[in-house]
Amino acid sequence: FDSKWDLLCVIGDRMTCFKMKLAVFFLSALAFHTHTFAEGGEMSSETANAESFVPVHELDENSIEVNKTRYKLQNVSISNQHVDADLEHYPDHMSLLHPNFWTYWIHTVCQVITAIMALKSPKALLILLVAAVLCWPLSWMLNEPIWHMNPGESTWWLMAIKSAIVNIAPTAPMLLCLIFRPSPKVSHRVGIWGYFILWSNVFWTLFFLPMAFNAVSVTNAVCAISLDTSLIIHLVALCKKGVGLCEVRGKFFYGYGTSLSWLVCYTVWNGLFV
């Protein structure tokens, strides 16, 4: 190693890789245990005590959960504080028909399209991203829900913040750099801001941990803390060595704050949410 900062970069990357391998092993063991239980265990009957029933005046959700199995409600009608509906079993989590699976890949396709737009027409992409975020203030002003999230609810705020973090906070400054070609010093500062937003994007997921406290969510949280910690170590080491975090070269905006091993771990961690 040329200096202690080179050693610090490697330590941060290795720490992330080790914890990611540990998380994948843990989730694999959990999946095997769940599969074994599903084959040999006995499922409990769908029962509920009388105290769990409450009068119903209106219905905001279109699904219910019984014994950890979700059902979609169709043809819903409410009369005399009683709900009548047809139940449709949600696809199994391991099924290719599950919404989490195909929406994840639709999101991936959209990312490929935006990457092409960033190279061909950064101005058009900047306008598109700003327009996409406007749905949140419009939802607030018109009091219209987005994906069954009512304006002002905790989940609504979390998703609105997520939209700003992903669509505007890091990408808008980088696209402006592609358009206006600033000095290396300005590009470096944009890089610091961009990597702070990347750190925030990972840290943001920890706020969902109390909502679904289980083995998978805890594993994801541990990986998120590892990713954020190693990112800070790597960035501090680069800045101490005097390495610029970002630069514009040709049609590309290059960032040097994340190593390949960190990006692989980040991608695997992202896939765990499916």
Side-chain angles (χ1 to χ4, degrees):
F1 303 103
D2 294 334
S3 68
K4 60 181 180 181
W5 304 116
D6 292 328
L7 177 61
L8 196 60
C9 286
V10 175
I11 290 175
D13 292 340
R14 295 289 78 79
M15 178 184 67
T16 302
C17 292
F18 172 76
K19 289 191 176 181
M20 185 60 64
K21 290 176 182 177
L22 185 64
V24 172
F25 172 78
F26 175 76
L27 290 178
S28 299
L30 178 65
F32 175 78
H33 173 74
T34 305
H35 178 70
T36 303
F37 174 80
E39 287 184 342
E42 294 182 358
M43 299 298 294
S44 59
S45 59
E46 297 180 7
T47 59
N49 54 49
E51 294 180 356
S52 64
F53 292 95
V54 295
V56 177
H57 299 282
E58 60 180 354
L59 193 66
D60 294 329
E61 299 292 334
N62 66 342
S63 65
I64 60 173
E65 183 173 320
V66 179
N67 289 335
K68 298 184 179 180
T69 301
R70 293 184 65 203
Y71 294 90
K72 188 176 182 180
L73 301 179
Q74 293 184 338
N75 302 322
V76 180
S77 63
I78 302 177
S79 61
N80 297 325
Q81 298 182 341
H82 179 78
V83 177
D84 292 314
D86 298 328
L87 297 183
E88 178 183 344
H89 192 281
Y90 263 96
D92 186 80
H93 282 283
M94 298 304 294
S95 170
L96 297 183
L97 298 177
H98 194 277
N100 286 5
F101 182 85
W102 52 263
T103 53
Y104 181 85
W105 290 109
I106 289 177
H107 177 77
T108 302
V109 172
C110 291
Q111 293 300 310
V112 173
I113 295 174
T114 54
I116 297 174
M117 290 184 65
L119 297 176
K120 301 296 183 181
S121 182
K123 293 181 181 179
L125 178 58
L126 181 60
I127 295 173
L128 179 63
L129 292 176
V130 172
V133 176
L134 290 179
C135 65
W136 296 100
L138 287 176
S139 171
W140 178 271
M141 291 185 294
L142 301 177
N143 198 28
E144 287 291 332
I146 297 180
W147 304 313
H148 305 288
M149 295 180 294
N150 294 317
E153 293 180 348
S154 58
T155 53
W156 186 92
W157 279 112
L158 284 173
M159 293 306 297
I161 294 172
K162 172 71 173 181
S163 179
I165 289 176
V166 173
N167 292 329
I168 293 297
T171 50
M174 294 179 184
L175 288 173
L176 290 173
C177 286
L178 284 175
I179 296 171
F180 295 107
R181 309 284 171 163
S183 64
K185 187 176 181 179
V186 173
S187 297
H188 178 74
R189 291 176 178 175
V190 170
I192 294 175
W193 169 251
Y195 286 117
F196 168 73
I197 296 301
L198 176 61
W199 182 92
S200 302
N201 183 44
V202 177
F203 187 80
W204 168 89
T205 61
L206 298 177
F207 289 99
F208 283 97
L209 182 60
M211 300 181 185
F213 195 84
N214 52 51
V216 177
S217 62
V218 171
T219 304
N220 282 345
V222 172
C223 293
I225 294 172
S226 175
L227 286 167
D228 271 348
T229 303
S230 62
L231 181 61
I232 292 174
I233 294 174
H234 193 81
L235 292 175
V236 170
L238 289 177
C239 290
K240 289 292 184 179
K241 279 181 63 67
V243 177
L245 296 182
C246 294
E247 69 169 334
V248 179
R249 201 189 312 164
K251 292 184 178 181
F252 296 93
F253 186 90
Y254 291 94
Y256 305 113
T258 50
S259 63
L260 178 60
S261 58
W262 191 94
L263 292 173
V264 170
C265 293
Y266 177 80
T267 303
V268 174
W269 172 77
N270 247 327
L272 294 178
F273 284 92
V274 179

